[in-house]
Amino acid sequence: MTRVIHKFTRNVPQWQPRVTPVDLKEATKEQLEALQVTPSNTKVSDYVLVLAHDVEALKARSPLFNAIMYDGGGMSRAERELGAIAASMVNRCIYCAAVHASRHAELAKSTEATDQIFTAGENAKLKSRDKAIFDFARKLSECPPQANESDVSILRAAGLTHAEILDLVLSTSLFGWANRLMHVLGDPVRKE
Amino acid sequence: MTSLACSGVATGTPAGDAALNRVNVFELTQAAEDAVLAPVDAGAWPAETRAAFAVRIAKLNRSKTLVAQYGRRPGGDGPLADPANDGTAQNMGVVVTFMDKVAAQTREVRANDITSLQAAGVSDADIVRLAELNAFLAFQIRMVAGLSLIKGDIA
């Protein structure tokens, strides 16, 4: 009886760790600080409790994640999510793809783009700007990265500014990181 | 800052101006680099081993600038830095197999890749440390690759 999900979906699964999460009762002072555990806030996800095993990396990553995905200016929130989705599909991180496809649908107020992406992958029929973004992010996410100057020219022709392209590079690269934690350290499973 | 220096993005260019608006991201990336390459609590993976893996993964990604950058760290020229070395001679075969797969065939990673490490005696905390090192490098390598592509774009 397997509850593990193998297909891309916008329904956010549960994340089941493959390693034992840090036990809050045994957490160090530094771990508790990084987890922002207070007497009134003692609910911490298994994912964050797993990452607390490497508390220095966790402390460094959280502000970086927020800056890349949420800081103002540059690329729109929805388009940053598109970079995250492309990376998550290349790395087959079902959980990350679900979270960020559902956010994209909310921000774009439409499920059209993510329906297309999940159905047709690299052949998805998207508006030219979304297509340029998705293709660039997909290629940058490969190992070794496959994006080249002509992909950047396509982004420029689709109307992206330098600031937007930089943000796309950052959000896509960030999910090269996130996917290698989420997809490697746990399984996406159907909620009980 | 490693990421900006390695990308070759210069001030006064459109890409340089865009980078200036995200200077906090470059500063936070440097802090993350320090946290995974030379942490205070390194667990089972000393800084020299981490530097060798950084060079190895940069090579798998054909990132010449980061191969050179990490190669200058102590241990960066160690035997594990060579992707042709499977780590058996260093008693690191299972770890090397895991690191290569996470870096280059991420989509193929399965639960048994973690149980193999556990069976080889690697603690859960040290598994998370390996994943974070690998994951950070994936980020930085793509960030530098992407920035390198836009540095000369002055259209």
Side-chain angles (χ1 to χ4, degrees):
Chain A
M1 61 129 246
T2 176
R3 294 163 53 226
V4 177
I5 298 170
H6 298 287
K7 283 189 176 169
F8 289 116
T9 169
R10 264 192 311 268
N11 296 323
V12 178
Q14 191 178 328
W15 187 80
Q16 183 174 282
R18 293 171 177 167
V19 298
T20 308
V22 167
D23 182 346
L24 268 185
K25 292 192 287 292
E26 292 167 18
T28 64
K29 186 165 167 273
E30 195 182 12
Q31 284 171 329
L32 291 174
E33 274 171 20
L35 296 167
Q36 295 176 320
V37 175
T38 61
S40 61
N41 174 26
T42 53
K43 277 202 165 184
V44 186
S45 73
D46 273 350
Y47 178 59
V48 176
L49 288 170
V50 162
L51 298 187
H53 280 298
D54 186 347
V55 69
E56 290 168 70
L58 173 63
K59 270 163 66 179
R61 196 179 73 101
S62 302
L64 187 52
F65 188 99
N66 290 336
I68 290 174
M69 294 308 284
Y70 303 114
D71 274 4
M75 185 171 247
S76 72
R77 287 270 299 105
E79 288 179 339
R80 293 184 210 188
E81 297 292 354
L82 212 45
I85 296 164
S88 303
M89 289 185 73
V90 168
N91 295 321
R92 229 175 154 76
C93 184
I94 303 288
Y95 188 93
C96 292
V99 169
H100 295 279
S102 67
R103 280 196 196 148
H104 181 275
E106 280 169 28
L107 290 160
K109 297 187 174 58
S110 165
T111 57
E112 198 181 327
T114 46
D115 281 345
Q116 263 296 313
I117 286 170
F118 281 169
T119 310
E122 62 186 75
N123 300 315
K125 290 190 178 65
L126 301 169
K127 289 175 188 154
S128 64
R129 188 174 160 108
D130 279 354
K131 178 81 179 151
I133 290 170
F134 183 65
D135 285 348
F136 176 86
R138 214 166 36 74
K139 292 179 183 181
L140 187 64
S141 299
E142 294 287 349
C143 175
Q146 301 295 316
N148 58 33
E149 280 86 356
S150 81
D151 298 310
V152 174
S153 302
I154 293 169
L155 288 171
R156 297 283 293 141
L160 274 82
T161 65
H162 287 88
E164 288 173 326
I165 297 174
L166 173 63
D167 284 345
L168 176 60
V169 167
L170 293 175
S171 65
T172 304
S173 302
L174 180 68
F175 276 79
W177 187 343
N179 296 160
R180 282 172 178 82
L181 300 175
M182 195 68 96
H183 171 68
V184 170
L185 297 171
D187 284 298
V189 295
R190 261 178 280 283
K191 285 181 181 165
E192 279 170 340
Chain B
M1 286 177 279
T2 304
S3 307
L4 209 45
C6 287
S7 67
V9 169
T11 51
T13 61
D17 291 344
L20 272 184
N21 286 325
R22 290 282 181 250
V23 73
N24 62 328
V25 167
F26 292 98
E27 287 166 356
L28 291 166
T29 299
Q30 188 60 50
E33 179 184 318
D34 298 340
V36 297
L37 266 297
V40 176
D41 180 2
W45 323 115
E48 291 77 11
T49 305
R50 291 166 183 257
F53 273 120
V55 172
R56 183 183 185 94
I57 292 170
K59 283 179 180 168
L60 291 174
N61 279 283
R62 303 205 188 107
S63 175
K64 283 183 189 160
T65 50
L66 286 172
V67 168
Q69 179 73 21
Y70 288 130
R72 285 193 283 274
R73 284 179 175 263
D77 57 352
L80 296 177
D82 177 6
N85 174 16
D86 70 3
T88 310
Q90 289 75 37
N91 202 20
M92 291 275 280
V94 178
V95 173
V96 165
T97 301
F98 175 76
M99 291 301 264
D100 285 357
K101 191 169 182 183
V102 173
Q105 297 165 280
T106 319
R107 72 196 82 167
E108 306 298 336
V109 175
R110 301 284 180 271
N112 62 8
D113 294 302
I114 298 295
T115 47
S116 297
L117 288 169
Q118 290 165 332
V122 181
S123 74
D124 282 0
D126 286 328
I127 293 172
V128 175
R129 290 185 179 104
L130 289 177
E132 283 280 14
L133 172 62
N134 205 306
F136 168 78
L137 291 165
F139 165 70
Q140 190 175 41
I141 287 164
R142 280 158 190 79
M143 182 175 173
V144 168
L147 283 168
S148 302
L149 287 177
I150 57 175
K151 72 169 185 227
D153 176 19
I154 50 168

